[in-house]
Structures are given as C-alpha cells and as structure tokens.
C-alpha cells in the first residue's frame, strides 16, 4: 500500500529484515540498527538504546599497527574519520589506498585529523594483515562488543563506510567515501555537505539518502549550469537550515 511505501521511504529501508526504534512522543529515530541491538543486548540492559556520544562508545584502548596502544581520549580535539572496512571487500581495499594518501595530505597541511579503523574482517590474522597498510589507529579486533557498538551508533548498512566527525564528535558527513574519491587533493576537508551538488557517478549514491531535487540543464552552455546553481542554492540552503533547526535530516 501507499502507506507502507511511505514508511519504507521515510526510514530509508534498503534491506530486510530491518528493525528501527522510534521515540513515539517526538517521532524521532532512536536507533536504526535494531537487529544488532537485540543481538548484542538480549536482556535489554541498555534500553532505550538511544544514541550515545562518540567519546562514550569508543572509550578504551586503541591500537597502532606497530603494536603501540593509546587511549581513545587522544582523539579529543581532532576531526575523526570512522572507517568501517575489511580486507575481503575489494572496494574497501581500493578506498584504503586513496585514503592513506588523503590522510597524509591532511596531516601535512597541519590539520588535526585521525582515522579510526573499525574492522569487519573475518579473522584476527586478516585484520592484522590489512591494518599493517594503515598509518592510523584501530579498535582492537578482539573487542567485538566495541566494534559492534560503533556499527550500531552509525547504523552501518554496508562497507566501506567513512563517517567524518568534527572535533566535538558530531557527524559532519556520512559520505566520507564519496568525498575522498571526489576531492583527491583534500581541498574541501572536512567535507561539510554542500546544499547543491553536481551529479557524478560517485555521488549518485546520495540519491538513496532522502528526497532529492534533480535539475537538468544544457551542459553545452557553461553559463546556464552556473545560473541554475545560483537559482537553487538559496532555496537549498533555506530547506537545510529549516531541518537543522528541527534537528532532523533534510
């Protein structure tokens, strides 16, 4: 029915079974990854399963690939890329190669930036092999509960996913993968979402994220696409500001 379709679209359900918890008084989503929640917390001890701050979910020791451990509070005050990836997944491996270069460029530009690898590898050995290529930090593979909590916090549906956080731990963008591939020189870092984008192969995935307005222009005429952008930019900014004020996704 139309009502069912509306619900699927509203909550961006892309695969089933899917279990989403909602606060009935406000209608806001409490947790997207309900199936992981009931697997990890069958006794309901963490109910009502609302979002916790990143610093709380990540709390504990982190690893470098030379075996050195450091505390998660070393991430405080930095932008953080939370990187969900695994060696068995070819798109992950190709993103990692690009990301290593991006990480180096951002650090060399003097920006405070750290990447946190959250592994979806199938064994400790393959985690170690994959992590040996990475210059950043990781959640220890053995700490399955913390890896799962981070997956739950961001409602991870597939890998590779790169979530970029600001220095307070709030999400700047969930589309870190698209941003990194579109901005090889990292000029736009930390990649705040733009109200109007030019549609490309790599950012087309965002058409699945929510309602979109797609404006077709004659690309032969450069002036026309610029004029079209000037036309819709203020409208897009106004809509985004309205949703931001309500603390909802636009």
């Amino acid at each position: 029915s139309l009502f069912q379709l509306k619900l699927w679209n509203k909550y961006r359900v892309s695969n089933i079974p899917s279990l989403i918890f909602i606060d009935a008084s406000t209608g806001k989503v409490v947790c997207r990854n309900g199936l992981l929640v009931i697997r990890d917390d069958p006794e309901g001890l963490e109910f009502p399963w609302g979002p916790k701050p990143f610093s709380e979910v990540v709390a504990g020791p982190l690893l470098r690939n030379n075996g050195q451990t450091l505390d998660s509070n070393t991430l405080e005050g930095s932008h953080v890329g939370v990187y969900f990836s695994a060696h068995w997944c070819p798109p992950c491996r190709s993103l990692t190669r690009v990301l290593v270069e991006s990480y180096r460029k951002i650090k060399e530009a003097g920006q405070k930036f750290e990447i946190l690898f959250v592994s979806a590898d199938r064994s400790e050995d393959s985690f170690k092999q994959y992590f040996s290529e990475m210059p950043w930090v990781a959640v220890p593979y053995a700490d399955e509960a913390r890896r799962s909590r981070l997956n739950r916090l961001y409602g991870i549906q597939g890998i590779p996913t790169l979530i970029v956080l600001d220095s307070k731990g709030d999400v700047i963008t969930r589309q870190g993968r698209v941003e990194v591939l579109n901005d090889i020189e990292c000029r736009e870092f930390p990649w705040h979402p733009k109200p109007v984008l030019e549609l490309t192969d790599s950012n087309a995935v965002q058409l699945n994220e929510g309602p979109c307005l797609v404006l077709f222009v004659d690309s032969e005429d450069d002036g026309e696409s610029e004029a079209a952008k000037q036309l819709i930019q203020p409208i897009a900014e106004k809509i985004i500001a309205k949703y931001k004020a309500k603390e909802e996704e636009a």
Side-chain angles (χ1 to χ4, degrees):
S1 76
L2 188 60
F3 177 64
Q4 286 169 312
L5 194 62
K6 274 184 170 170
L7 283 175
W8 277 69
N9 288 336
K10 181 176 171 65
Y11 297 114
R12 304 204 303 273
V13 175
S14 55
N15 48 9
I16 53 170
S18 201
L19 177 61
I20 296 168
F21 294 113
I22 293 157
D23 179 340
S25 59
T26 63
K28 286 190 179 165
V29 172
V30 174
C31 171
R32 287 194 172 280
N33 257 0
L35 296 172
L36 273 182
V37 168
I38 54 176
R39 189 198 73 186
D40 292 353
D41 184 23
E43 305 291 314
L45 302 176
E46 293 177 37
F47 182 81
W49 304 306
K52 295 184 169 68
F54 169 69
S55 57
E56 190 181 315
V57 177
V58 79
L62 302 176
L63 294 178
R64 288 207 178 276
N65 64 15
N66 61 6
Q68 177 197 358
T69 60
L70 50 155
D71 193 83
S72 57
N73 61 19
T74 57
L75 299 175
E76 283 170 22
S78 292
H79 283 81
V80 177
V82 190
Y83 184 37
F84 298 85
S85 187
H87 190 260
W88 52 262
C89 147
C92 292
R93 292 200 300 276
S94 56
L95 179 60
T96 297
R97 285 192 290 274
V98 177
L99 200 50
V100 168
E101 288 305 304
S102 302
Y103 177 76
R104 191 175 52 76
K105 284 174 188 156
I106 293 164
K107 301 280 269 193
E108 281 173 3
Q111 301 265 19
K112 293 190 79 175
F113 181 51
E114 195 48 75
I115 292 178
L116 174 67
F117 172 41
V118 183
S119 167
D121 289 292
R122 290 171 178 155
S123 71
E124 176 105 34
D125 284 346
S126 94
F127 161 75
K128 280 182 176 156
Q129 182 196 343
Y130 193 28
F131 187 41
S132 70
E133 304 163 19
M134 300 179 185
W136 45 73
V137 296
V139 176
Y141 185 79
D143 195 344
E144 203 175 324
R146 192 159 35 137
R147 289 191 290 125
S148 185
R149 280 199 298 273
L150 284 159
N151 270 281
R152 258 165 45 200
L153 179 62
Y154 298 115
I156 300 303
Q157 302 269 343
I159 55 173
T161 294
L162 178 66
I163 310 266
V164 183
L165 310 178
D166 66 16
S167 54
K168 299 197 295 290
D170 295 327
V171 174
I172 291 175
T173 178
R174 301 177 56 88
Q175 299 291 343
R177 176 194 186 184
V178 172
E179 297 293 355
V180 164
L181 296 176
N182 273 351
D183 180 24
I184 296 297
E185 293 305 315
C186 307
R187 290 200 180 96
E188 307 278 330
F189 176 83
W191 303 301
H192 287 280
K194 294 189 188 71
V196 180
L197 288 173
E198 193 160 319
L199 193 59
T200 63
D201 284 353
S202 56
N203 69 24
V205 62
Q206 294 182 65
L207 295 172
N208 299 323
E209 289 288 302
C212 295
L213 171 72
V214 183
L215 180 61
F216 293 87
V217 295
D218 183 358
S219 60
E220 297 302 308
D221 174 9
D222 277 347
E224 191 174 327
S225 62
E226 196 44 50
K229 198 172 173 183
Q230 300 297 336
L231 175 72
I232 57 176
Q233 181 87 14
I235 301 169
E237 284 172 2
K238 204 161 125 187
I239 291 169
I240 286 168
K242 185 181 100 179
Y243 279 90
K244 203 167 185 173
K246 292 198 290 193
E247 291 183 4
E248 286 178 11
E249 289 186 44

